[in-house]
């Protein structure tokens, strides 16, 4: 009915606004962790990357946004930012210990790479289980969220280090 379509559209619109608000709040929090604007931007690019790819694929496949699919982005940013924070903190510590950016990234991989991969694998598998359900929206949510979790680890372990090496953002001195 037209009432249920209008309600679903309003819910999707509200979810999009909530996602944008969440990205803004996470950016502010990330600034306090990163301590510089450049590092914050790089960290947020790595966090928004999986969302843009998943939403882009859904757009290319003409999959309409509904409340379930819009939630994928919110879940992805909420969960994905955790690994980014671990990587950024490890990277900052390694640079502040006197390592150049390249070696700091290598040391960061040694320290946090394995835990990031393990937690991401667990999340990927957990969301993949939703695809075995009988309810189509739940299956779709599981598929795209699992894929987003895969992309989030790619963003944190490949895209983020590449951006750090390419842009070499200035780091402020902070003790932990």
């Amino acid at each position: 009915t037209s009432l249920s379509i209008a309600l679903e559209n309003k819910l999707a619109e509200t979810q999009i606004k909530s996602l944008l608000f969440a990205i803004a709040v996470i950016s502010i929090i990330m600034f306090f962790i990163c301590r510089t604007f450049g590092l914050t931007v790089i960290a947020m690019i790595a966090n928004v990357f999986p969302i843009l790819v998943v939403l882009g694929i859904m757009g290319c496949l003409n999959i309409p946004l509904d409340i379930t699919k819009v939630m994928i982005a919110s879940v992805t940013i909420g969960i994905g930012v955790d690994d980014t924070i671990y990587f950024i903190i490890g990277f900052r510590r390694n640079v502040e210990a006197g390592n150049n950016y390249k070696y700091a990234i290598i040391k960061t991989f040694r320290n946090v790479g394995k835990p990031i991969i393990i937690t991401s694998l667990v999340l990927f598998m957990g969301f993949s289980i939703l695809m075995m359900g009988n309810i189509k929206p739940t299956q779709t949510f599981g598929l795209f969220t699992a894929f987003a979790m895969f992309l989030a680890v790619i963003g944190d372990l490949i895209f983020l280090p590449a951006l750090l090496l390419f842009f070499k953002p200035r780091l402020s001195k902070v003790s932990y």
Side-chain angles (χ1 to χ4, degrees), residues 33-176:
I33 292 166
C34 295
R35 304 280 189 196
T36 65
F37 180 74
L39 188 56
T40 302
V41 170
I42 289 171
M44 289 310 297
I45 289 171
N47 278 295
V48 175
F49 161 74
I51 296 168
L52 294 177
V53 172
V54 168
L55 292 178
I57 289 171
M58 287 176 19
C60 289
L61 297 174
N62 292 322
I63 298 172
L65 283 181
D66 58 22
I67 186 69
T68 314
K69 294 177 194 88
V70 174
M71 279 182 17
I72 295 166
S74 298
V75 169
T76 302
I77 191 89
I79 294 173
V81 73
D82 187 49
D83 290 338
T84 306
I85 289 170
Y86 285 127
F87 196 93
I88 291 291
I89 289 174
F91 173 73
R92 284 181 56 89
R93 284 182 180 159
N94 287 317
V95 169
E96 290 169 2
N99 298 300
N100 65 37
Y101 278 39
K102 184 177 179 180
Y103 190 66
I105 287 172
I106 292 169
K107 284 188 78 168
T108 303
F109 271 110
R110 287 182 189 150
N111 296 334
V112 300
K114 188 175 180 180
I116 287 174
I117 290 170
I118 290 170
T119 58
S120 298
L121 181 62
V122 169
L123 289 167
F124 175 82
M125 292 172 68
F127 284 112
S128 294
I129 288 175
L130 294 175
M131 292 185 286
M132 295 179 194
N134 294 328
I135 301 169
K136 190 69 174 169
T138 304
Q139 292 172 335
T140 305
F141 178 79
L143 171 70
F144 283 108
T145 307
F147 183 59
M149 292 297 104
F150 171 75
L151 291 173
V153 77
I154 298 295
D156 286 330
L157 295 181
I158 296 174
F159 202 47
L160 179 60
L163 290 171
L164 291 170
L165 279 176
F166 184 77
F167 289 107
K168 292 185 174 50
R170 179 183 56 83
L171 301 179
S172 64
K173 297 289 182 194
V174 165
S175 61
Y176 291 94

